[in-house]
Amino acid sequence: MKDYDIVIVGGGPAGLAAAAAAKKAGSDSILIIERDRELGGILNQCIHNGFGLHTFKEELTGPEYAQRFIDEVLTLGIDYRLDTMVMDIAPDKTVTAMNRTDGMFQIKAKAVVLCMGCRERPRGALNIPGYRPAGIFSAGTAQRLVNIEGYMPGREVVILGSGDIGLIMARRMTLEGAIVKVVAEVMPYSGGLKRNIVQCLNDFDIPLLLSHTVIDIEGKEHIKAVTIAEVGPDRKPIKGTEVRYTCDTLLLSVGLIPENELSRNAGVEMNPVTNGPIVNESLETSIPGVFACGNVLHVHDLVDFVSEEAKKAGENAAAFVLGKAQEESGQKITLHGESGVRYTVPSHIDPKRLSDNLTVRFRVGDIYKDSYVSVYYGDERVRHVKKRIIAPGEMEQVVLLKDDLLKRPELTDITLKIEEA
């Protein structure tokens, strides 16, 4: 196994876009390592449409969107290894991986791009009483069973959590003939996109119960019923609100966790809010030459934004390898989220290293109506944009102008806030 300039860990939408961008930026020695049997990642099982509106200005299914980037990677002649698991990334960017053909092997990379995506939060993290019967699936597992393997998990369905995959599976299971009785969400707001609530629940008359959760699961061998209760502001069940639903399937859509075991073992500094790496304006982690993008960095709402972010990561990885990366100026501006802004990506920037204006992405911790997204340079408010509604399920962004930042050589802090009208 030869060494490569850039090793990209993950062959999903982030990895494909990063590889293509790095190749176009001048790096000829690139390897994509993918643990699944084909490129495309999670998009292969997302057969619904709604992808590509930003990137390609047309509506595509997940497999169609992925194929656009797979075709580009193949046309550019980028190397890739399938059915290959990365076991370790050392701080010196030595990548240890293994597969059936080559056994265990190591690659010395000059740069690494982390594109491992995210995984679903399991039942074990929820502390729901009851046995562990058959019939409980994560929404993503059910999606794979229905769309790729051709199996129906069940016919009477209850869904816990209103993440986008859960909402989409409510519609999918209905279209396949199942009865989806209810979607319960412990928070007072949905965790999914507004369009998915409308298209997947409202259009099919599937009830969404906010501030509700499953408090009991019946069945020893196979699930028979669940009990759902309303919760108070402390998220504890309110006595007297319990309702029993018979079902043979419980789908869990209770959050996504970035896949960062490799990142942590490599010594990458992590953000406790996003569970992803802390990155700078180049999407570079605390280890020089190790970049991160897509859902391994922070959970995105649209794959179009994953591809856009990954393109920048790939370009910056190529610049690092080719010695074209801008030298640090010594000015470090830290970005903060306050008053409803949970986090920002990136976390800190050096204005002189920006190749263009900077898109800062963030999520909020509650629903805000007729409020403002405000940007402060130190104590000076430089941006005050009114938004009709801001919700946790949808990623927000602001664009910082490079010229404005360069005019402020003494600037050390930028703060993003949600302010009431």
Side-chain angles (χ1 to χ4, degrees), residues 81-389:
R81 293 286 182 276
L82 302 177
D83 289 313
T84 302
M85 178 73 76
V86 174
M87 309 301 294
D88 182 66
I89 302 170
D92 68 353
K93 298 183 283 293
T94 298
V95 177
T96 303
M98 65 181 298
N99 60 34
R100 289 185 176 184
T101 305
D102 304 300
M104 187 170 286
F105 57 90
Q106 289 187 319
I107 298 168
K108 187 73 176 75
K110 295 178 182 176
V112 175
V113 186
L114 305 174
C115 305
M116 291 90 75
C118 58
R119 66 175 183 269
E120 294 176 282
R121 184 173 281 112
R123 177 194 170 171
L126 303 180
N127 297 321
I128 303 172
Y131 290 101
R132 296 293 185 266
I136 303 174
F137 303 86
S138 70
T141 299
Q143 187 181 54
R144 183 178 182 89
L145 287 171
V146 175
N147 293 345
I148 293 183
E149 309 296 340
Y151 297 111
M152 272 295 281
R155 293 291 173 182
E156 287 186 285
V157 184
V158 170
I159 298 177
L160 175 60
S162 60
D164 286 312
I165 307 172
L167 298 176
I168 287 162
M169 282 310 294
R171 176 179 63 184
R172 189 77 182 96
M173 295 293 282
T174 302
L175 291 173
E176 288 295 337
I179 298 171
V180 179
K181 296 191 169 182
V182 67
V183 176
E185 169 57 57
V186 72
M187 300 301 288
Y189 50 78
S190 171
L193 293 168
K194 179 68 175 176
R195 75 182 191 196
N196 284 334
I197 297 170
V198 173
Q199 295 174 2
C200 301
L201 299 187
N202 298 353
D203 288 357
F204 292 88
D205 295 322
I206 299 169
L208 171 62
L209 299 180
L210 299 175
S211 297
H212 283 71
T213 192
V214 173
I215 62 168
D216 189 35
I217 297 173
E218 297 178 32
K220 196 168 184 180
E221 299 299 326
H222 199 287
I223 187 169
K224 294 180 179 177
V226 299
T227 301
I228 292 177
E230 187 177 353
V231 299
D234 58 359
R235 299 189 205 170
K236 292 183 179 178
I238 300 171
K239 284 192 175 182
T241 63
E242 301 89 349
V243 177
R244 182 177 181 271
Y245 293 86
T246 58
C247 61
D248 60 14
T249 307
L250 174 64
L251 301 187
L252 305 177
S253 180
V254 291
L256 300 169
I257 304 170
E259 284 268 21
N260 273 300
E261 283 69 27
L262 289 172
S263 314
R264 289 188 184 90
N265 291 340
V268 169
E269 189 178 351
M270 306 299 290
N271 184 321
V273 178
T274 62
N275 288 313
I278 291 174
V279 295
N280 63 14
E281 71 290 328
S282 302
L283 300 176
E284 189 175 24
T285 69
S286 57
I287 299 178
V290 177
F291 300 80
C293 58
N295 284 347
V296 80
L297 179 56
H298 60 127
V299 177
H300 291 60
D301 52 355
L302 299 179
V303 73
D304 300 76
F305 296 146
V306 168
S307 301
E308 183 182 315
E309 192 175 84
K311 180 183 176 186
K312 287 193 173 294
E315 290 170 347
N316 292 328
F320 179 88
V321 167
L322 298 171
K324 295 180 179 179
Q326 184 76 29
E327 293 291 326
E328 293 184 9
S329 69
Q331 182 185 10
K332 181 179 178 180
I333 301 175
T334 303
L335 279 69
H336 307 273
E338 293 181 5
S339 303
V341 177
R342 296 183 62 236
Y343 69 85
T344 67
V345 173
S347 300
H348 56 89
I349 61 173
D350 182 339
K352 290 187 179 176
R353 298 188 72 198
L354 292 173
S355 58
D356 202 348
N357 296 332
L358 178 71
T359 299
V360 179
R361 294 195 165 97
F362 64 94
R363 283 186 190 265
V364 296
D366 204 345
I367 289 182
Y368 299 90
K369 295 181 179 179
D370 295 319
S371 298
Y372 290 86
V373 175
S374 298
V375 179
Y376 285 80
Y377 287 177
D379 295 327
E380 178 191 359
R381 189 169 72 188
V382 297
R383 200 80 53 82
H384 195 52
V385 181
K386 188 169 185 179
K387 303 277 286 188
R388 192 179 66 81
I389 188 163

Side-chain angles (χ1 to χ4, degrees), residues 18-79:
K23 180 78 171 185
K24 291 175 184 176
S27 178
D28 289 324
S29 178
I30 303 169
L31 175 67
I32 301 170
I33 300 179
E34 168 56 45
R35 66 184 178 185
D36 209 344
R37 57 180 182 249
E38 55 196 1
L39 295 171
I42 200 69
L43 289 181
N44 290 323
Q45 68 186 50
C46 299
I47 64 172
H48 53 280
N49 58 8
F51 301 93
L53 291 170
H54 294 265
T55 306
F56 299 111
K57 309 303 179 190
E58 60 180 301
E59 198 170 33
L60 304 171
T61 65
E64 287 173 332
Y65 185 95
Q67 195 62 47
R68 298 278 178 102
F69 284 95
I70 293 170
D71 291 343
E72 188 172 22
V73 163
L74 296 177
T75 300
L76 291 169
I78 298 170
D79 285 349

